Amino acid sequence: MIKPPPAEPIEAAIHLCVDMQRIFARGGVWETPWMERVLPVVVDVSNHYARSTIFTRFITPEHPEQRPGRWQRYYQRWEAALRPNLEPEQLDLVPELQRLVPPAQVIDKPVYSAFKHSPLASLLVERGIGTVVVSGAETDVCVLATVLDAVDLGFRVVLVEDALCSSSDPGHDALMTMYRTRYGQQIDLVSREMLFDLWKF
C-alpha cells in the first residue's frame, strides 16, 4: 500500500469560515443540526488565526425577483428566509464568532460560493494568498461551491474536517470521499490538531 505524501506546511494562507450564521444554528430557518457539534472547533480555529480569518455570510434577498433564474423558484420555496420575514440578527454570525470581528473580517455573498459576486478573490490576490483553509457550513452546499471555485482559481485548499458540518450526513460523507479520491493535488484534508502543526505564524 502506497503511503500518502506528508502534508505540506501551510504558508501565505487565510482561514475562510463559511456561513456560520444564526439562520443555520438551532432554531434557524435552515437549521443545521450538528453545527453545535463542530462549533467549538470552528471557534478554536477562528480564534487561533483571528487576524487571518474571513467569515462569509449568506445574505438572502428581500424578494425572489431580486435573484435570477431558478433562484426565484428557490426563494418561493424558502419564503421564510426572505429578509422581510427574518429577524435581522438571523443573518449575523453566531455570537461565538461575531466577537472575533475585528480583527477577523466579514464578506457578504448572495449565492453559495464565497467567490461569486463578492470581493473575496481580488482581496486574496492583493494579500498574496496562495492557500485557503476552509471551515463552516454546509459541506455539500456553500462549502462545496466555495471549494470548487477556489480550486478553479488556483488556490490550494485545506479543509478542516472536524470544522465542517451539513444537515445531510450522506451528503457530507460523499463530499469527504470525493475530496480524498478526486482532488488530491489541490485539496488537503486535515484535523484541527494537524492544522495547528502545519500552519505556524
Side-chain angles (χ1 to χ4, degrees), residues 21 23 29-30 57-67 74-76 78-92 108-111:
Q21 297 163 261
I23 195 171
V29 172
W30 287 321
R57 298 190 311 167
F58 185 83
I59 303 299
T60 61
E62 294 184 353
H63 307 288
E65 294 74 21
Q66 292 176 328
R67 296 289 184 266
Y74 179 85
Y75 281 112
Q76 288 162 3
W78 290 106
E79 188 175 337
L82 295 171
R83 288 211 303 277
N85 302 328
L86 279 178
E87 295 294 328
E89 62 269 17
Q90 285 288 298
L91 297 177
D92 290 344
D108 291 341
K109 61 187 182 68
V111 293

Side-chain angles (χ1 to χ4, degrees), residues 105-117:
Q105 297 175 261
V106 176
I107 287 180
D108 291 341
K109 61 187 182 68
V111 293
Y112 294 149
S113 173
F115 289 95
K116 294 279 174 58
H117 310 298

Side-chain angles (χ1 to χ4, degrees), residues 23-44:
I23 195 171
F24 298 107
R26 183 184 293 273
V29 172
W30 287 321
E31 180 176 334
T32 302
W34 46 287
M35 179 186 279
E36 288 183 4
R37 190 169 78 207
V38 304
L39 182 58
V41 180
V42 175
V43 170
D44 197 18

Side-chain angles (χ1 to χ4, degrees), residues 23 39 45 60 116 132 157 173 200:
I23 195 171
L39 182 58
V45 171
T60 61
K116 294 279 174 58
V132 180
V157 176
D173 294 344
K200 307 288 188 184

